[in-house]
């Protein structure tokens, strides 16, 4: 077996792999000898079929397997010897193609882009600032006020009072299109909070100013992108009877409210709220520091990038942004989307940082444990209530989905490793300052 280099240009590599016919024949013989003890054939006892007979019967079938094994073995030996790691699956083409016949040498052309040599990262050279926010009394009180608002009740307003935003109106309604009621367009004793956006645009606004006992004809049009296609874009009239107008009444912030949220007392609830707020602040501060880390690494480390990875990433970015700008197109029934220079610049950053973090993780033996994967699958499965088992089975059978779940866990573990070795200084800031720093992440 012979491997001959035909191209070495930057990260691009090409090699000719030649498998002599004699080596291929030897591999076929090895497979036949391995299978011989289990073969039964008419006229022969099990395991006693002559090799010549086996070759005549099974030789052609085993030839393809032997050829693949020989090529795979040559590729493995090549990568072991050179230390090359292909950026994507190598392209392998057989020379001769259909003209090849048994007894000829097998010659294939293998080409790939090698992963670049990535310089060692001195994590101690990375300086970062960690924002620290304490949950002050004002923030805790705001959170308690929100809990009380969410636990609000409604009580009848005085007879004759007009409904306003935030009020609850209890209505009976019948929707009609062209004078005919339509399926799903009617309800009785429906408690609708005005301004909640629970109904289609324009509906709730028409009930502002209504009084208990009044009948109101609400004229609206269903949105063009409405989920039920037979209603999308249609004009409708809802005949509504307002049975009650109720004012919101926030719950009292006391021990009873605490018990409604699973705490033993108001003090215990305050403690839980404080812990939750500070956990949110820590999570937000980590996101800010992670972005600062990635920005620092992008400037600190430079190396050649595999063009195929950059092109693939740029195309993905362009495609994703196009769909964000055209949300009505869910499939791929659109023309070619050409990446811009901005897309390519962002792709280069992502590929560079991705390769760097992967290399740091590889050298530090960072691994995603089975327990961490299970937690990730559980978290994702919660988005599909009632279909959790089906989602688990889908993930088990889908290596690509497994990788999508594993990748962010791996990245975060590598980032945590770098955080641990970097020079990190703490800076106490206000909640508003932290919020501004988080909002700035979307602007970059």
């Amino acid at each position: 077996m012979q491997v001959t280099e035909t191209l070495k240009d930057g990260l691009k590599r090409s090699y000719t792999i030649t498998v002599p016919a004699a080596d291929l024949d030897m591999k076929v013989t090895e497979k036949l000898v391995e299978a011989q003890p289990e073969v039964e054939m008419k006229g022969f006892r099990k395991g006693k079929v002559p090799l010549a007979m086996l070759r005549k019967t099974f030789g052609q079938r085993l030839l393809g397997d032997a050829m693949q094994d020989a090529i795979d073995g040559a590729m493995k030996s090549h990568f072991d010897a050179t230390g090359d790691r292909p950026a994507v699956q190598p392209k392998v083409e057989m020379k001769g193609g259909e003209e090849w016949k048994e007894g000829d040498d097998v010659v294939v052309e293998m080409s790939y882009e090698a992963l670049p040599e990535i310089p060692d990262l001195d994590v101690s050279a990375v300086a970062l600032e960690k924002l620290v926010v304490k949950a002050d009394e004002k923030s805790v009180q705001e959170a308690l006020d929100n809990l009380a608002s969410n636990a609000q009740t409604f009580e009848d307003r005085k007879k004759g009072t007009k409904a306003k935003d935030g009020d609850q109106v209890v209505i009976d309604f019948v929707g009609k299109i062209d004078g005919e009621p339509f399926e799903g367009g009617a309800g009785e004793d429906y408690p609708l909070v005005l301004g909640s956006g629970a109904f289609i645009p324009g509906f709730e606004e028409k009930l502002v100013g209504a009084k208990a006992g009044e009948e109101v004809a609400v004229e609206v049009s269903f949105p063009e992108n409405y989920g039920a296609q037979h209603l999308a874009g249609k004009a409708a009239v809802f005949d509504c009877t307002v049975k009650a107008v109720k004012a919101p009444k926030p719950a009292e912030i006391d021990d009873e409210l605490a018990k409604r949220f699973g705490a033993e007392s108001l003090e215990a609830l305050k403690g839980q709220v404080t812990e939750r707020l500070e956990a949110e602040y820590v999570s937000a501060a980590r996101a800010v520091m992670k972005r600062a880390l990635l920005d620092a690494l992008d400037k600190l480390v430079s190396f050649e990038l595999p063009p195929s990875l950059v092109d693939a990433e740029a195309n993905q970015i362009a495609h994703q942004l196009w769909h964000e700008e055209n949300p009505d197109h869910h499939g791929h029934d659109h023309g070619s989307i050409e990446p811009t220079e901005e897309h390519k610049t962002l792709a280069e950053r992502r590929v560079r940082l991705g390769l760097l973090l992967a290399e740091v993780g590889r050298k530090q033996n960072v691994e995603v444990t089975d327990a961490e994967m299970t937690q990730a699958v559980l978290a994702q499965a919660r988005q599909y209530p009632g279909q959790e088992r089906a989602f688990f089975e889908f993930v088990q059978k889908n290596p690509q989905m497994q990788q999508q779940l594993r990748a962010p866990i791996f990245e975060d573990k590598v980032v945590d490793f770098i955080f641990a070795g970097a020079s990190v200084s703490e800076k106490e800031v206000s909640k508003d300052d932290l919020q501004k720093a988080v909002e700035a992440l979307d602007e970059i």
Side-chain angles (χ1 to χ4, degrees):
M1 192 174 304
Q2 183 179 1
V3 179
T4 305
E5 182 179 271
T6 57
L7 174 68
K8 187 173 184 180
D9 180 13
L11 298 176
K12 294 181 179 180
R13 306 280 190 274
S14 286
Y15 296 86
T16 298
I17 300 175
T18 303
V19 182
D23 290 358
L24 193 60
D25 185 70
M26 187 182 302
K27 282 196 170 289
V28 172
T29 301
E30 288 174 359
K31 288 182 175 291
L32 291 172
V33 170
E34 182 181 348
Q36 188 178 33
E38 301 300 323
V39 176
E40 295 184 64
M41 192 175 288
K42 188 175 180 180
F44 299 94
R45 286 180 294 148
K46 181 180 179 180
K48 299 299 181 180
V49 181
L51 279 177
M53 182 70 71
L54 291 176
R55 181 179 291 275
K56 182 178 180 180
T57 306
F58 304 109
Q60 283 294 325
R61 190 185 309 173
L62 293 176
L63 186 60
D65 291 342
M67 191 181 298
Q68 188 63 56
D69 286 353
I71 295 170
D72 288 346
M75 291 171 61
K76 183 179 184 306
S77 296
H78 165 73
F79 291 128
D80 288 344
T82 61
D84 275 358
R85 289 179 293 148
V88 295
Q89 186 68 23
K91 181 180 179 181
V92 179
E93 294 181 329
M94 183 174 175
K95 289 189 174 181
E98 296 180 358
E99 297 179 5
W100 182 87
K101 61 182 182 296
E102 189 173 354
D104 290 348
D105 293 346
V106 175
V107 182
V108 299
E109 188 74 22
M110 174 181 68
S111 56
Y112 60 90
E113 288 176 3
L115 288 176
E117 286 291 329
I118 299 174
D120 289 336
L121 175 65
D122 180 7
V123 296
S124 64
V126 179
L128 299 170
E129 186 176 70
K130 180 180 180 181
L131 303 182
V132 178
V133 180
K134 300 295 183 183
D136 56 22
E137 289 186 13
K138 180 182 176 182
S139 298
V140 173
Q141 187 59 48
E142 287 177 355
L144 291 173
D145 290 341
N146 287 333
L147 291 178
S149 177
N150 291 334
Q152 71 183 359
T153 57
F154 292 88
E155 56 184 20
D156 287 327
R157 285 191 179 276
K158 291 181 180 179
K159 188 175 181 179
T161 301
K162 295 181 179 181
K164 59 183 180 181
D165 266 347
D167 282 354
Q168 181 190 80
V169 291
V170 180
I171 58 173
D172 292 345
F173 61 90
V174 176
K176 299 177 182 179
I177 293 179
D178 297 330
E180 295 294 327
F182 57 89
E183 184 178 356
E188 293 183 354
D189 295 323
Y190 189 93
L192 174 63
V193 177
L194 302 183
S196 64
F199 278 26
I200 61 175
F203 188 101
E204 295 167 25
E205 290 86 342
K206 301 290 177 61
L207 291 174
V208 173
K211 304 174 185 177
E214 285 188 345
E215 294 186 355
V216 181
V218 175
E219 298 181 8
V220 290
S221 292
F222 285 91
E224 294 290 343
N225 60 348
Y226 193 68
Q229 292 187 357
H230 67 290
L231 299 176
K234 297 288 184 64
V237 177
F238 287 83
D239 294 328
C240 302
T241 299
V242 181
K243 303 175 78 171
V245 175
K246 300 187 176 188
K249 181 183 178 182
E252 295 293 332
I253 300 176
D254 54 17
D255 289 344
E256 288 303 314
L257 176 67
K259 290 174 182 177
R260 291 176 66 176
F261 287 97
E264 294 182 356
S265 65
L266 179 56
E267 284 305 309
L269 180 60
K270 287 181 178 179
Q272 291 177 8
V273 168
T274 300
E275 289 180 5
R276 177 178 61 79
L277 287 175
E278 293 193 342
E280 291 176 358
Y281 297 154
V282 168
S283 178
R286 185 187 188 283
V288 173
M289 191 164 76
K290 180 179 177 180
R291 172 59 66 83
L293 169 64
L294 297 180
D295 290 343
L297 295 179
D298 192 38
K299 297 174 182 177
L300 187 63
V301 179
S302 177
F303 48 85
E304 189 175 3
L305 302 176
S308 60
L309 293 185
V310 174
D311 290 344
E313 186 67 27
N315 284 322
Q316 183 176 342
I317 292 170
H319 192 264
Q320 179 182 344
L321 292 178
W322 186 89
H323 275 285
E324 289 178 2
E325 295 169 0
N326 299 271
D328 294 337
H329 290 264
H330 301 291
H332 298 280
D333 56 338
H334 51 70
S336 176
I337 303 171
E338 291 297 323
T340 65
E341 287 302 316
E342 185 178 357
H343 297 151
K344 292 177 182 177
T345 299
L346 179 56
E348 288 175 354
R349 171 189 165 94
R350 289 186 179 179
V351 171
R352 182 182 303 108
L353 292 173
L355 292 177
L356 176 60
L357 294 178
E359 183 68 4
V360 172
R362 186 180 72 86
K363 289 180 177 178
Q364 297 301 322
N365 297 315
V366 173
E367 293 183 353
V368 177
T369 66
D370 291 342
E372 289 166 336
M373 273 297 291
T374 299
Q375 288 299 315
V377 176
L378 282 172
Q380 194 81 1
R382 292 191 191 100
Q383 300 181 24
Y384 307 94
Q387 304 178 48
E388 291 86 352
R389 178 180 289 276
F391 182 77
F392 265 93
E393 292 175 354
F394 169 72
V395 173
Q396 288 177 339
K397 297 175 183 178
N398 192 320
Q400 184 175 359
M401 187 64 185
Q402 293 173 24
Q403 180 56 27
Q404 288 180 7
L405 293 173
R406 182 179 288 105
I409 303 173
F410 176 86
E411 179 177 295
D412 279 343
K413 294 182 78 169
V414 175
V415 167
D416 285 338
F417 165 79
I418 299 175
F419 281 165
S423 174
V424 179
S425 60
E426 293 189 351
K427 179 182 179 182
E428 192 164 334
V429 298
S430 68
K431 180 185 68 173
D432 291 340
D433 288 337
L434 176 60
Q435 181 62 33
K436 290 177 182 177
V438 171
E439 291 172 355
L441 298 180
D442 294 330
E443 300 173 2
I444 301 177

